[in-house]
Amino acid sequence: MVTGAEAKAWAREHLRGNCSSLYTPFSGRDGDEIDYEALRALVRHCLVELDQDGLWLNGGIAEFWSLTTDELKEVMRVAIEEARTVKPQALIQVMSSTDTAKQCVELTLYAQELGADICYLLTPYFECSGKPGVYEYLRYVADRTDIPLGFFNSQATGLVLTPQECVELYRDIPALCGLKNGMFDVEHSLAVHKMAPEMVLWEVADEAGIRAGIPHPGALGAALYLYETPERRLYTEHRNLLLQGDFELAAKFAAESGLAAIRAANKRYQSHPARPGAFTHWGAGFKFGASVLGLPIGDYPHSRPPQTAFPDALKGPVREAYREAGLIQS
């Protein structure tokens, strides 16, 4: 196990690869249960059939805010157990952020006990006193755990830290070793990289980040299973072209393969009609996309409150994009 004190050196060598952020398959009345067999199948699909490098557990796509502490722990346990069985070397990343610092410590310690590689902490999303409050939250968790920690800077919480604040946190907290910048703001990420070039950093808008010259360790928490199948590795082929610096060929491939159309269609569940302009992790939408590709999502296909169902009116363009790309049959 890598300790918090070793985190920064470890991250520069090992925090990399293509790792999918898993959804939570719900079942039963109102999705009150979790289909753990479907979760195991999703883990196998990502790590074995798609040969990805690791997983991101209990993140926004997984609707972590709707799961109880016991459920968050069981999702961790089941997914990590399956991952270590089918691909022992997989990079296991866990989002252990919740409303309270004490619960975050409890979940981080549990992930540490299960053998996760790193835990990520979001900016606290209620009554946080700006950067000083974020520092107190991260310090509180780091003082009580001994595992590499990552920071997830996301507009979804309502509090986005400046590049300078992100770098100060990185330098002040030894266990903090990586930053997932989730605002789709490449200039923000570029500023962070210039101030702390040794920090492992990835921009959610990965293509723009690569084009801007930010070293790109991989997609360490994205729904990669929505962009390729074992037979057609659209995401992987496109990313390889970007990393080679062949941007013209990458753009041509994205357009001709249908990847660009799939990404455009999938934006329907990255924002909600009732919240125009705001990025949201609309779990039901992500699961709909997965179901079109034949992945198991449980017998309750919707989200838990406070999210709403994914409307039928938004489904047609998603299906059509997959058909046009040849990822599903007509």
Side-chain angles (χ1 to χ4, degrees):
M1 279 290 297
V2 179
T3 67
E6 301 165 330
K8 286 179 170 59
W10 168 84
R12 286 191 285 273
E13 183 177 352
H14 298 285
L15 192 53
R16 59 188 61 255
N18 290 336
C19 306
S20 275
S21 180
L22 305 189
Y23 53 80
T24 304
F26 293 139
S27 62
R29 180 185 174 187
D30 292 328
D32 283 342
E33 307 299 326
I34 294 175
D35 186 338
Y36 290 105
E37 287 310 306
L39 179 62
R40 289 183 184 274
L42 179 61
V43 170
R44 293 193 298 273
H45 177 77
C46 292
L47 295 183
V48 179
E49 295 167 32
L50 296 180
D51 194 26
Q52 293 175 1
D53 301 295
L55 305 172
W56 177 286
L57 305 176
N58 288 345
I61 294 172
E63 303 171 62
F64 74 91
W65 58 82
S66 73
L67 274 60
T68 68
T69 302
D70 287 344
E71 287 175 329
L72 289 166
K73 286 182 174 181
E74 187 64 2
V75 165
M76 269 193 259
R77 188 194 67 79
V78 169
I80 292 175
E81 178 182 83
E82 192 68 25
R84 295 303 185 210
T85 298
V86 300
K87 183 173 277 190
Q89 74 277 18
L91 177 66
I92 304 297
Q93 306 170 98
V94 174
M95 251 263 296
S96 55
S97 272
T98 65
D99 332 27
T100 72
K102 287 187 70 174
Q103 188 186 35
C104 183
V105 168
E106 180 180 350
L107 291 171
T108 304
L109 286 172
Y110 190 66
Q112 185 178 314
E113 177 185 328
L114 291 173
D117 294 296
I118 182 171
C119 285
Y120 290 88
L121 280 64
L122 272 169
T123 307
Y125 45 87
F126 189 73
E127 291 292 352
C128 181
S129 306
K131 189 255 183 175
V134 176
Y135 174 81
E136 284 304 310
Y137 185 77
L138 295 177
R139 179 203 58 77
Y140 184 93
V141 177
D143 284 352
R144 291 161 174 79
T145 61
D146 196 16
I147 186 174
L149 299 175
F151 182 49
F152 188 2
N153 199 29
S154 171
Q155 61 188 3
T157 67
L159 175 62
V160 173
L161 298 190
T162 68
Q164 181 68 38
E165 289 171 332
C166 291
V167 171
E168 288 172 355
L169 288 172
Y170 171 77
R171 289 182 173 152
D172 288 347
I173 299 175
L176 200 62
C177 63
L179 170 65
K180 179 179 180 179
N181 232 3
M183 295 97 62
F184 299 91
D185 183 351
V186 174
E187 290 304 314
H188 186 291
S189 295
L190 194 57
V192 171
H193 174 62
K194 288 178 178 178
M195 284 187 279
E198 74 281 7
M199 184 196 304
V200 179
L201 162 70
W202 62 105
E203 165 62 48
V204 171
D206 56 355
E207 179 173 348
I210 293 170
R211 287 174 179 268
I214 301 170
H216 200 68
L220 293 170
L224 305 184
Y225 44 80
L226 295 180
Y227 302 105
E228 58 185 18
T229 64
E231 297 75 28
R232 299 205 66 203
R233 303 291 183 88
L234 300 186
Y235 175 86
T236 301
E237 289 185 44
H238 181 251
R239 181 173 177 272
N240 287 341
L241 290 171
L242 292 173
L243 292 177
Q244 292 164 18
D246 203 333
F247 301 133
E248 184 176 342
L249 186 57
K252 183 172 185 288
F253 174 82
E256 294 180 352
S257 68
L259 177 62
I262 291 172
R263 283 179 160 167
N266 287 354
K267 286 184 179 178
R268 285 165 174 78
Y269 44 81
Q270 293 175 4
S271 63
H272 194 286
R275 298 184 67 196
F279 180 85
T280 184
H281 301 84
W282 197 353
F286 282 89
K287 282 184 276 193
F288 170 73
S291 72
V292 173
L293 293 176
L295 299 179
I297 62 168
D299 63 23
Y300 184 81
H302 311 300
S303 294
R304 287 178 176 176
Q307 290 192 339
T308 58
F310 191 62
D312 291 340
L314 297 181
K315 294 178 179 179
V318 176
R319 289 195 188 96
E320 186 58 30
Y322 282 131
R323 277 196 291 266
E324 289 292 323
L327 296 188
I328 62 172
Q329 298 298 311
S330 299

